[in-house]
Amino acid sequence: MAADVQKTTSSHASSSADPSAAWPELASDYERARGREDSLDRLVEWPAQRDLLGDVAGLTVLDLGCGNGSKIAELVDAGATGAVGVDVSGNFLGARPAGLELIQGDLNEVDAMPGLAGRAFDRILFLQSFGYARDPVRVLQAARAMLADDGFILLTRTQPIRYAVERAERNGTSLGEEYFSRASYTYRTSWNEEIALTKRTYTISDLLNVFTAAGLWVETAIEPQLSEDARRRYPHKQEWMNKYLGILIFKLRPHRRR
């Protein structure tokens, strides 16, 4: 889920207890936005995610919150096997490569999905879907339990400072006040201005502590930026990135018991 959003509130906000409630309505709008030539997902997020994943030939992959499944379909085309995408919307690709299984389901219940019972994966992806976890530690623990030997989790998260900047602008407060605020954040997306999302906010230390509590450690963390060519071609996107910073991508490995 790319970071192309606007700040505002809405009476149609999803419940803070269930941040994924609005996603089925937003899914098709998001996919249209992601397909635009100047989408930050196309220009920044997916290239960086793909680079960190490396060679996936012969590897099993699970994409939790896969949207329509187009990203994991690309990984299957690159040689991934036993590939599964899970998304609450069920708004999946019509044509898909052989070897790709797409399941309509909630990532919050991944440990109870019959289609995943007893399976292990070399790569487990949360590509901007982690914000929809009601109990983030439990969700990561469930994913960790499904990792194959030498497997890792690739997790993308909106830069926490972005939400703080947006709320400070909206509320007339300071960056520090909003960054450390524990209040949930309701905003309306540019994908569909009739629907709003309510999400839990994190500080960077919150994220690190959640990873640790789930038995994971950060092998790599990156903050991808636009390429020089993209900056020249899409100056409005560079202006947005200069203000809101973009995303964080974490490569997470499980702690091994001695």
Side-chain angles (χ1 to χ4, degrees):
M1 304 170 190
D4 304 337
V5 299
Q6 298 172 345
K7 63 183 188 303
T8 188
T9 58
S10 167
S11 60
H12 297 88
S14 63
S15 167
S16 59
D18 185 5
S20 64
W23 181 245
E25 294 181 79
L26 279 172
S28 58
D29 299 305
Y30 161 70
E31 295 296 347
R32 282 192 292 271
R34 191 173 72 83
R36 292 196 304 256
E37 184 179 274
D38 66 348
S39 162
L40 285 175
D41 184 83
R42 174 178 289 195
L43 296 172
V44 177
E45 295 187 21
W46 182 231
Q49 292 159 353
R50 188 67 190 87
D51 183 61
L52 272 183
L53 281 172
D55 183 7
V56 296
L59 300 182
T60 53
V61 182
L62 172 63
D63 187 353
L64 294 172
C66 68
N68 69 0
S70 59
K71 288 185 176 181
I72 195 166
E74 285 189 39
L75 298 180
V76 172
D77 288 338
T81 61
V84 181
V86 174
D87 197 84
V88 72
S89 73
N91 181 42
F92 297 132
L93 296 167
R96 63 193 70 164
L100 173 59
E101 181 182 358
L102 297 173
I103 299 173
Q104 183 173 6
D106 188 340
L107 63 81
N108 290 285
E109 306 302 330
V110 65
D111 52 355
M113 287 183 193
L116 298 179
R119 299 176 70 172
F121 297 90
D122 299 299
R123 305 288 182 264
I124 298 179
L125 317 180
F126 291 88
L127 305 183
Q128 286 291 60
S129 59
F130 185 64
Y132 297 94
R134 292 190 294 272
D135 184 340
V137 172
R138 176 180 173 272
V139 168
L140 285 179
Q141 286 174 331
R144 178 180 178 271
M146 291 189 290
L147 278 176
D149 291 342
D150 202 36
F152 65 78
I153 293 170
L154 191 73
L155 187 148
T156 302
R157 178 69 184 152
T158 299
Q159 167 61 256
I161 293 172
R162 190 200 99 188
Y163 288 151
V165 171
E166 290 183 347
R167 288 183 298 171
E169 291 176 332
R170 185 183 71 185
N171 297 331
T173 52
S174 69
L175 179 63
E177 286 176 277
E178 298 298 349
Y179 180 74
F180 292 108
S181 171
R182 294 300 178 184
S184 58
Y185 179 42
T186 298
Y187 63 96
R188 189 164 55 186
T189 77
S190 61
W191 316 323
N192 183 333
E193 295 187 354
E194 298 301 315
I195 302 171
L197 294 172
T198 296
K199 290 185 181 178
R200 170 184 171 178
T201 59
Y202 293 83
T203 62
I204 292 174
S205 60
D206 288 336
L207 289 172
L208 296 177
N209 289 331
V210 165
F211 301 157
T212 299
L216 300 163
W217 61 279
V218 179
E219 180 178 280
T220 304
I222 64 170
E223 300 173 90
Q225 297 294 300
L226 288 163
S227 67
E228 289 297 331
D229 178 64
R231 290 173 185 174
R232 290 191 295 269
R233 293 174 63 194
Y234 308 108
H236 62 296
K237 291 298 183 182
Q238 184 58 56
E239 182 180 359
W240 191 96
M241 292 287 286
N242 287 343
K243 189 171 189 179
Y244 298 115
L245 306 186
I247 63 168
L248 295 164
I249 306 179
F250 298 96
K251 183 177 179 180
L252 304 172
R253 298 252 188 203
H255 286 290
R256 300 297 182 189
R257 291 182 179 177
R258 295 185 180 182

